[in-house]
Amino acid sequence: MNTFGRIFRVSVFGESHGEAIGAVIDGVPAGIAICEDDFSADIDRRRSGAKGTTPRREADIPEILSGVYEGHTTGAPLAVIFRNGNTRSGDYSLFKAMPRPGHTDRVADIKWNGYNDPRGGGHFSGRLTLPVVAAGVVAKKILSGISVTCSLVEVGGLPYSSDSLEIKSIIDEAARDGDSLGGVAECIVDGLPAGLGEPFFDSVESLVAHSIFAVPGVRGIEFGDGFASARMKGSEHNDVFGEDGLPATNGAGGVNGGITNGAQLRFRVAFKPTASIRKAQRTLNFAEGMMDELEVPGRHDVCFALRAPVVVEAMTAIVLADLVAVG
Amino acid sequence: MNTFGRIFRVSVFGESHGEAIGAVIDGVPAGIAICEDDFSADIDRRRSGAKGTTPRREADIPEILSGVYEGHTTGAPLAVIFRNGNTRSGDYSLFKAMPRPGHTDRVADIKWNGYNDPRGGGHFSGRLTLPVVAAGVVAKKILSGISVTCSLVEVGGLPYSSDSLEIKSIIDEAARDGDSLGGVAECIVDGLPAGLGEPFFDSVESLVAHSIFAVPGVRGIEFGDGFASARMKGSEHNDVFGEDGLPATNGAGGVNGGITNGAQLRFRVAFKPTASIRKAQRTLNFAEGMMDELEVPGRHDVCFALRAPVVVEAMTAIVLADLVAVG
Amino acid sequence: MNTFGRIFRVSVFGESHGEAIGAVIDGVPAGIAICEDDFSADIDRRRSGAKGTTPRREADIPEILSGVYEGHTTGAPLAVIFRNGNTRSGDYSLFKAMPRPGHTDRVADIKWNGYNDPRGGGHFSGRLTLPVVAAGVVAKKILSGISVTCSLVEVGGLPYSSDSLEIKSIIDEAARDGDSLGGVAECIVDGLPAGLGEPFFDSVESLVAHSIFAVPGVRGIEFGDGFASARMKGSEHNDVFGEDGLPATNGAGGVNGGITNGAQLRFRVAFKPTASIRKAQRTLNFAEGMMDELEVPGRHDVCFALRAPVVVEAMTAIVLADLVAVG
Amino acid sequence: MNTFGRIFRVSVFGESHGEAIGAVIDGVPAGIAICEDDFSADIDRRRSGAKGTTPRREADIPEILSGVYEGHTTGAPLAVIFRNGNTRSGDYSLFKAMPRPGHTDRVADIKWNGYNDPRGGGHFSGRLTLPVVAAGVVAKKILSGISVTCSLVEVGGLPYSSDSLEIKSIIDEAARDGDSLGGVAECIVDGLPAGLGEPFFDSVESLVAHSIFAVPGVRGIEFGDGFASARMKGSEHNDVFGEDGLPATNGAGGVNGGITNGAQLRFRVAFKPTASIRKAQRTLNFAEGMMDELEVPGRHDVCFALRAPVVVEAMTAIVLADLVAVG
């Protein structure tokens, strides 16, 4: 469903072109200083505008409906919404007939018998990551002494750096071709105490992976040495303990048996290329019952992975705030 | 915690060298024919014995305590236990002083203030996957018309085939060196209806990944094109629809936006090399407060990934039985 | 926490004098016709205005933020909010120093370290039952063929009828004295299929009672013969089966062993008298550390039970919608 | 389902005449001293034998399968089972044809399509309260400084005292008539800190009532003044604060707005008379399709309420252990 967490719990709702999207955040400790400005930095990081991101611009002003009084959290659920403003719903009428390859048009139709809101991907839209980012801001405030940092490490198969000319050039080329690119992000958490998480079903990796695969467009996740560990020997992959009692290396990514071990939590996430592309695709026209050519109109990210690291951070912070609450 | 699922729910309990391990399976529909023999095939697949697996042999006889009457499930919770027989607990006394690198000895000690059962990894032992396999057998019976098949595709970096001489040779070599190997498994599900799963927090990938990372030793999971998709263009990765209304390719691995799309569910899991190795490791002796050499004694798998595919199948079947129950 | 249900799930948020209160309703089937007008009848029943209810009047206009498209539910979470308008927060400043006897001022202060929103009871306000009523409207639409009807049967110890002169007179008298009255409501559900509910922890009575005790001011609940059954013999209380295969009497209130038996679901709920009274109470002034006299100012119901039946209906419908979804 | 709790979680399984019944208790803190003898006192209180209870005698020896090592809890789930020994299943074959009035025979048949275990009530049997009592023993150990005490206050409409001749006489009379009696129990908890519980759906009353209605045969629950409060004025029912900052009276039963207020938690539970009676009942013979006379054979309690107080204590302790864990 649309709720996650045991004690610190986040529910999201909304559609891309509906009235508003939002999150209800339950289990927030009382007494945390918070105001609407606190959301700006992370919301800005998620917002489009950079090269390779959609020209759709939203004000993205958080409106706190509950749970904050005189500048502090009250202990009651914090509800925050974002009005949807800059919508051009006309763009989307086509996709009932010709569902976009790689997109959710078709599965939404099937799952909800045609009653789904088709505008902008409806409830499946990446726009729903905005309330997730807002919940992440609240979660980060709970995690005092713990820092969660995610950054892109790869775009279109190249090592990512925001000022790399090569990166700019492959983004320009994909944009020119009406095509799209994927990327890989790495998330690092410092300051986590050892002993969080549970064996089996609430392992730290289970909870983090659960939340990360809720982000649209994720195709894989790996912790520490990840898939490479499958090609290593035990003597290469094991983290021996150093004199400080902590792992001297970090092939495990900070978790053993589902429990944090005191080292950095470290994982990588693979994002697929944006599904909505202008480039012609030969696909089924369900209305006509015949193959047809689709050039997806509208405003889309060439590489939505560029906007994803702050969403990964938010999800991770949400999981950790819950783990810390459970203890 | 040790429970997973919304309607079809599995709880596991037990320690490697304790009295018994087991599972309680709730939400089982009434009227499914089941007997203790039905568990044999999957339990045999998990059992050690093959080259590269531990010489510890357990009878692994399931004892059904409840939920079955006159050969059919009753609708009430099905509890199944396995007595622990062939234990040599003396082997494990050392690991309180010198926690095994890559193992759970140290985190268990921290999490549970030294009260954890240290024998054979206690509750963190891979032996706990036995009741998971048993629950998987029940889940598979619920999934009529749906087949879940997992197999190894890689061991020690080589393509896996059970009769490959090269594979036998690297296993022998690792065994000789007192070292260990990892592997990669691929799971494929046929016959899934489109429309299962939920957007966001209960996406199919979220639930599957949650369950898979509960399996000891998993380092990564990827769906469809997985990490490779991050290096593809949208035009390469998107699955266009064919004339039958289904995806003509399967880069998505059978899921769009968290919802099954009618294609095969397909994902790969990375298993690290076995942590317990005979080969000497220089690590901290916590009791002495100085670095020391550890050669892990006892009987261990050279490559526990060899026994893992049936566990992946079980977890997947458990998730799918729940998804089907929720509808 | 503030969420209830397994498949049909309701989360509430908000404070009496905050920006808005609302509910997020997850698990709503797609394709249910719904518009904002559909909420009017039940919201009117809950609204103040009748003799014995508070003169605070709110417009109580539901604003649907998500989950509805072109007049039908989409399958995605339905979020509905109500702006708080007619608030006179000045009235409540006193209660930090002198918490109202029988009210939540003191426990809220303790639980949330003084950070709770004290205005109008904050998150503990009976006003939070408004989004519950809204969620109940949605639940009732799901329960086709099932009718949920709750009505007052007792006020101030007298049999209740809305046109009883005696009732009017005791309400007038209590109002004149600055005092308050309690009441008893009875809820009846027709059309329930047999077989809903689970043995033990998800018995129908467990779920209904759980939800009903979430309503502020409830002191007791009893099913069927209720407390009177404790004074009956088995031969008097047992419901024999009639020729139609249904219970011929209904001492059980429609449930055996936690499972609906095909008869009417029938239970009664006791509501305490309103805690906020004008009549002087001798109680502790926590600020001064001495006993003092408190006359609670502000606008309050003489008997909030008068407004409660529709809330009981809503909670019951929410539980039943979930039971029907689970099957 | 058969699981209850958020952090301290109890799952029960088993059937009256099956192999074994048991409980899995998750979220038990590590390091609590426990052995099988610790269960004796509460198990004895639940056991039959006294006047008015069934002559079926079970050894009721707890067998701890996991979660305890060297006399202390390990932090991992504690599984405890009880073998079913003294069963006379032949007694129950009749009830498929003529379901006992007031019993679960009929609803179990409907819910589980005839696959339910009919022997001794199967999974619906009061015998399932034995693992609940065992879980309660564990919960009580967690609740240091908090005492949970439940006792009968009424049997067959008379004030209960174990040595009352009048009580003995009505029990004898009911036994002679092949009839049965109900009762009322009162539970008192001392030493609870203020501030436990949540507004709305996880109010203390909600959680306690949820658990208590899981006990077979409960018909009502009321807190503090309970149903009587509906007939009181606010000035009579409100608990003013005394000089110590605590409620000077306890009409609320220790809870305001769902949150403990530092006073005794106090509630009463109504138990119906035993459903299985020897006295003839005219009811439907479903097999013959005609009304018939049923005299329920077998060994039954005249008044199972006599054995219920320790079960109420156990459920209450389970809820409180979870509330304390959540904080």
Side-chain angles (χ1 to χ4, degrees):
Chain A
M1 322 284 288
N2 296 277
T3 302
F4 192 67
R6 293 165 296 172
I7 300 296
F8 181 79
R9 277 206 278 210
V10 175
S11 305
V12 296
F13 59 85
E15 288 91 23
S16 183
H17 293 200
E19 199 58 46
I21 57 177
V24 179
I25 312 165
D26 205 350
V28 183
I32 296 179
I34 203 159
C35 66
E36 281 156 7
D37 276 0
D38 292 336
F39 295 89
S40 309
D42 276 2
I43 289 176
D44 283 353
R45 289 173 63 202
R46 183 195 162 281
R47 187 176 288 124
S48 58
K51 177 185 287 295
T53 63
T54 171
R56 172 178 174 185
R57 303 293 277 278
E58 291 279 358
D60 291 349
I61 309 290
E63 194 183 338
I64 297 177
L65 298 183
S66 70
V68 176
Y69 175 63
E70 296 188 339
H72 291 82
T73 57
T74 63
L78 194 161
V80 55
I81 65 170
F82 298 85
R83 298 277 168 188
N84 289 318
N86 185 1
T87 56
R88 286 166 40 189
S89 299
D91 291 347
Y92 295 90
S93 50
L94 164 64
F95 308 138
K96 283 265 173 184
M98 291 193 70
R100 286 166 289 178
H103 216 289
T104 59
D105 301 329
R106 178 67 183 151
V107 290
D109 234 26
I110 291 173
K111 180 164 191 67
W112 290 330
N113 302 316
Y115 286 104
N116 59 298
D117 180 345
R119 301 167 299 166
H123 183 59
F124 290 90
S125 167
R127 183 152 171 75
L128 267 280
T129 57
L130 177 56
V132 168
V133 167
V137 168
V138 177
K140 287 175 181 177
K141 282 183 167 276
I142 294 173
L143 298 172
S144 82
I146 297 170
S147 74
V148 182
T149 312
C150 182
S151 49
L152 266 190
V153 293
E154 218 184 290
V155 162
L158 297 178
Y160 180 75
S161 135
S162 63
D163 52 6
S164 150
L165 293 180
E166 209 179 2
I167 290 287
K168 283 175 183 155
S169 142
I170 61 167
I171 291 176
D172 280 340
E173 187 190 325
R176 219 167 30 235
D177 296 349
D179 215 331
S180 62
L181 299 172
V184 176
E186 182 170 58
C187 187
I188 284 171
V189 183
D190 279 296
L192 269 186
L196 296 179
E198 305 287 337
F200 283 84
F201 293 115
D202 288 348
S203 79
V204 170
E205 299 104 317
S206 285
L207 298 177
V208 168
H210 189 140
S211 77
I212 293 298
F213 277 112
V215 179
V218 171
R219 281 280 174 270
I221 188 169
E222 57 178 8
F223 289 80
D225 289 337
F227 276 84
S229 75
R231 289 133 208 165
M232 295 166 81
K233 301 236 168 83
S235 58
E236 297 162 336
H237 176 64
N238 279 348
D239 302 313
V240 296
F241 292 94
E243 297 201 341
D244 58 359
L246 291 173
T249 53
N250 195 8
V255 189
N256 295 115
I259 315 293
T260 54
N261 63 18
Q264 274 187 340
L265 177 66
R266 190 164 64 86
F267 62 92
R268 269 188 309 283
V269 181
F271 290 93
K272 69 172 193 171
T274 308
S276 294
I277 54 175
R278 217 178 55 245
K279 191 167 186 175
Q281 297 174 90
R282 190 134 194 98
T283 185
L284 186 65
N285 185 322
F286 283 75
E288 307 287 337
M290 49 179 289
M291 299 300 283
D292 201 349
E293 206 138 272
L294 176 69
E295 301 180 12
V296 180
R299 304 160 295 174
H300 303 287
D301 294 294
V302 169
C303 175
F304 70 85
L306 292 164
R307 296 164 64 189
V310 70
V311 179
V312 171
E313 281 182 16
M315 284 296 194
T316 306
I318 287 167
V319 168
L320 295 176
D322 190 46
L323 281 168
V324 165
V326 171
Chain B
M1 321 285 286
N2 295 279
T3 302
F4 191 66
R6 292 164 299 172
I7 300 298
F8 181 79
R9 276 205 279 209
V10 175
S11 304
V12 295
F13 60 85
E15 287 91 23
S16 183
H17 293 200
E19 198 58 46
I21 56 177
V24 179
I25 313 166
D26 205 351
V28 183
I32 296 179
I34 202 158
C35 66
E36 280 155 8
D37 276 359
D38 292 336
F39 295 89
S40 309
D42 276 2
I43 287 176
D44 283 352
R45 288 173 62 202
R46 184 196 160 281
R47 187 175 289 123
S48 57
K51 177 185 284 296
T53 63
T54 169
R56 171 177 174 184
R57 303 292 278 278
E58 292 278 359
D60 292 349
I61 308 290
E63 192 183 340
I64 296 178
L65 299 184
S66 69
V68 175
Y69 175 63
E70 296 187 341
H72 291 83
T73 57
T74 63
L78 194 161
V80 56
I81 65 170
F82 299 85
R83 298 277 168 188
N84 289 318
N86 186 0
T87 54
R88 284 166 41 190
S89 299
D91 291 347
Y92 295 89
S93 50
L94 164 65
F95 308 139
K96 283 265 174 183
M98 290 194 71
R100 284 167 290 178
H103 216 289
T104 58
D105 301 328
R106 178 68 183 150
V107 291
D109 234 26
I110 292 173
K111 181 163 192 67
W112 289 330
N113 302 316
Y115 286 104
N116 58 299
D117 180 345
R119 300 168 301 166
H123 184 57
F124 290 90
S125 167
R127 183 151 170 78
L128 267 281
T129 58
L130 176 57
V132 168
V133 166
V137 168
V138 178
K140 287 175 181 177
K141 283 183 167 275
I142 296 174
L143 298 172
S144 82
I146 297 170
S147 74
V148 182
T149 313
C150 182
S151 49
L152 266 191
V153 293
E154 218 185 291
V155 162
L158 297 177
Y160 179 76
S161 137
S162 64
D163 52 7
S164 152
L165 293 181
E166 207 179 4
I167 289 286
K168 284 176 182 154
S169 141
I170 60 166
I171 290 176
D172 281 340
E173 187 191 325
R176 222 167 29 235
D177 296 349
D179 214 333
S180 62
L181 299 172
V184 176
E186 183 169 58
C187 187
I188 284 172
V189 184
D190 279 297
L192 269 186
L196 297 179
E198 304 288 337
F200 285 85
F201 294 116
D202 288 348
S203 79
V204 170
E205 299 105 317
S206 285
L207 298 177
V208 169
H210 188 140
S211 77
I212 293 298
F213 276 113
V215 180
V218 171
R219 281 279 173 270
I221 188 170
E222 58 178 7
F223 289 80
D225 289 336
F227 274 84
S229 76
R231 288 132 210 166
M232 295 165 84
K233 300 238 169 82
S235 58
E236 297 163 334
H237 176 64
N238 280 349
D239 302 313
V240 297
F241 293 95
E243 297 201 341
D244 58 359
L246 291 173
T249 52
N250 196 8
V255 189
N256 295 116
I259 315 293
T260 54
N261 64 19
Q264 273 188 340
L265 176 66
R266 190 164 64 86
F267 62 91
R268 267 184 311 281
V269 181
F271 290 93
K272 68 171 194 174
T274 308
S276 295
I277 54 175
R278 216 178 55 244
K279 192 169 186 175
Q281 296 174 89
R282 188 135 195 98
T283 185
L284 186 65
N285 184 321
F286 284 75
E288 306 286 337
M290 48 181 289
M291 299 300 284
D292 201 350
E293 207 139 272
L294 176 70
E295 299 181 14
V296 180
R299 304 160 296 173
H300 303 286
D301 294 295
V302 170
C303 176
F304 70 86
L306 291 164
R307 298 163 63 191
V310 71
V311 179
V312 170
E313 281 182 17
M315 284 294 193
T316 306
I318 288 167
V319 167
L320 295 175
D322 190 47
L323 282 167
V324 165
V326 171
Chain C
M1 322 285 287
N2 295 277
T3 302
F4 192 66
R6 291 164 298 172
I7 300 297
F8 181 78
R9 277 206 279 208
V10 175
S11 305
V12 296
F13 60 84
E15 287 92 22
S16 183
H17 293 201
E19 198 58 47
I21 57 178
V24 179
I25 313 166
D26 205 351
V28 183
I32 296 178
I34 202 157
C35 65
E36 279 155 9
D37 276 0
D38 292 335
F39 295 89
S40 309
D42 275 3
I43 288 175
D44 283 353
R45 289 173 63 202
R46 185 196 160 279
R47 187 176 289 125
S48 58
K51 178 185 285 294
T53 63
T54 169
R56 172 177 173 184
R57 302 293 278 279
E58 293 277 359
D60 291 349
I61 309 291
E63 193 183 338
I64 296 177
L65 298 183
S66 69
V68 176
Y69 175 63
E70 294 187 343
H72 291 81
T73 57
T74 62
L78 193 161
V80 55
I81 65 170
F82 299 85
R83 297 278 167 187
N84 290 318
N86 186 0
T87 56
R88 286 167 38 191
S89 299
D91 290 348
Y92 294 90
S93 49
L94 165 64
F95 308 139
K96 283 266 175 183
M98 290 194 70
R100 285 167 289 177
H103 216 289
T104 58
D105 302 329
R106 178 69 182 149
V107 291
D109 234 26
I110 290 172
K111 182 165 189 66
W112 290 329
N113 302 317
Y115 286 105
N116 58 300
D117 179 345
R119 299 168 302 165
H123 184 58
F124 291 90
S125 168
R127 186 156 169 73
L128 267 281
T129 58
L130 177 55
V132 169
V133 167
V137 168
V138 177
K140 287 175 181 178
K141 283 182 167 276
I142 294 173
L143 298 171
S144 82
I146 298 170
S147 74
V148 182
T149 313
C150 182
S151 48
L152 263 191
V153 292
E154 218 185 289
V155 162
L158 297 177
Y160 179 75
S161 136
S162 65
D163 52 7
S164 151
L165 292 180
E166 209 178 2
I167 290 286
K168 284 177 181 153
S169 143
I170 60 166
I171 290 176
D172 281 341
E173 188 190 323
R176 223 169 26 236
D177 296 349
D179 215 332
S180 62
L181 298 172
V184 176
E186 184 170 58
C187 187
I188 285 172
V189 184
D190 279 297
L192 270 186
L196 297 180
E198 304 288 336
F200 284 85
F201 294 116
D202 288 348
S203 79
V204 170
E205 301 105 316
S206 285
L207 298 177
V208 169
H210 189 140
S211 77
I212 293 298
F213 277 113
V215 179
V218 171
R219 281 280 174 268
I221 188 168
E222 55 178 10
F223 289 79
D225 290 336
F227 275 84
S229 75
R231 288 132 209 167
M232 296 166 82
K233 300 237 167 82
S235 58
E236 297 163 334
H237 176 64
N238 278 349
D239 302 313
V240 297
F241 293 94
E243 298 200 340
D244 58 359
L246 291 173
T249 52
N250 196 7
V255 188
N256 295 118
I259 315 293
T260 55
N261 63 19
Q264 273 187 341
L265 177 66
R266 190 165 63 86
F267 62 92
R268 270 187 309 284
V269 182
F271 290 94
K272 68 171 194 174
T274 309
S276 295
I277 54 174
R278 219 179 53 243
K279 193 169 186 174
Q281 296 174 90
R282 188 133 196 98
T283 186
L284 186 66
N285 184 322
F286 283 75
E288 306 287 338
M290 48 180 289
M291 300 300 284
D292 200 350
E293 207 139 272
L294 176 69
E295 300 180 13
V296 179
R299 303 160 298 173
H300 303 287
D301 295 294
V302 169
C303 176
F304 70 85
L306 291 163
R307 299 163 63 189
V310 70
V311 179
V312 171
E313 281 181 18
M315 284 296 193
T316 307
I318 288 167
V319 168
L320 295 175
D322 190 46
L323 281 167
V324 166
V326 171
Chain D
M1 322 284 287
N2 295 279
T3 302
F4 191 66
R6 294 164 294 172
I7 300 297
F8 181 78
R9 277 205 278 209
V10 175
S11 304
V12 295
F13 60 84
E15 288 91 23
S16 183
H17 294 199
E19 199 58 48
I21 57 176
V24 179
I25 313 165
D26 204 351
V28 183
I32 296 179
I34 203 157
C35 66
E36 280 155 10
D37 276 359
D38 291 336
F39 295 89
S40 308
D42 276 2
I43 288 175
D44 282 352
R45 289 172 61 202
R46 184 195 161 281
R47 188 178 287 123
S48 58
K51 178 184 285 295
T53 62
T54 171
R56 171 179 174 184
R57 303 293 279 278
E58 291 278 0
D60 292 350
I61 309 291
E63 194 184 338
I64 297 178
L65 298 183
S66 68
V68 176
Y69 175 63
E70 296 188 340
H72 291 82
T73 57
T74 62
L78 193 161
V80 55
I81 65 170
F82 298 85
R83 298 276 167 189
N84 289 318
N86 186 359
T87 57
R88 286 166 40 191
S89 298
D91 290 348
Y92 295 90
S93 50
L94 164 64
F95 308 139
K96 283 265 173 185
M98 291 194 69
R100 284 166 290 177
H103 216 290
T104 57
D105 302 329
R106 178 68 182 150
V107 292
D109 234 26
I110 292 173
K111 182 164 190 68
W112 289 330
N113 302 316
Y115 286 105
N116 57 299
D117 179 346
R119 301 168 300 165
H123 184 58
F124 290 91
S125 167
R127 183 153 171 75
L128 267 280
T129 58
L130 176 56
V132 169
V133 166
V137 168
V138 177
K140 286 175 181 178
K141 284 184 166 275
I142 295 174
L143 297 172
S144 81
I146 297 170
S147 74
V148 182
T149 313
C150 182
S151 49
L152 266 192
V153 292
E154 219 185 289
V155 162
L158 297 177
Y160 179 75
S161 135
S162 63
D163 52 7
S164 151
L165 293 181
E166 209 179 3
I167 289 286
K168 284 176 182 154
S169 143
I170 60 168
I171 291 176
D172 281 340
E173 188 192 323
R176 220 166 30 235
D177 296 350
D179 215 332
S180 61
L181 299 172
V184 176
E186 183 170 59
C187 187
I188 284 172
V189 184
D190 279 296
L192 269 185
L196 297 180
E198 304 288 335
F200 285 83
F201 294 115
D202 288 348
S203 80
V204 170
E205 299 105 318
S206 286
L207 297 177
V208 169
H210 189 140
S211 76
I212 294 297
F213 277 113
V215 180
V218 171
R219 280 280 174 268
I221 188 169
E222 57 178 8
F223 289 80
D225 289 337
F227 275 84
S229 76
R231 289 130 208 169
M232 296 165 83
K233 300 239 168 81
S235 58
E236 296 162 336
H237 176 64
N238 278 349
D239 302 313
V240 297
F241 292 95
E243 296 201 341
D244 59 359
L246 291 173
T249 52
N250 195 8
V255 188
N256 295 116
I259 314 293
T260 54
N261 63 19
Q264 273 187 340
L265 177 67
R266 191 165 63 87
F267 62 92
R268 269 183 310 283
V269 181
F271 290 93
K272 68 171 194 174
T274 308
S276 294
I277 55 174
R278 217 178 54 243
K279 192 168 185 174
Q281 298 175 89
R282 188 135 194 97
T283 186
L284 186 65
N285 184 321
F286 284 75
E288 307 287 339
M290 50 179 292
M291 299 301 284
D292 201 349
E293 206 138 89
L294 176 68
E295 300 180 14
V296 179
R299 304 160 296 174
H300 302 287
D301 294 293
V302 170
C303 175
F304 71 85
L306 292 163
R307 297 164 63 190
V310 70
V311 179
V312 170
E313 281 181 18
M315 285 294 195
T316 306
I318 289 167
V319 168
L320 295 175
D322 190 47
L323 281 167
V324 165
V326 171

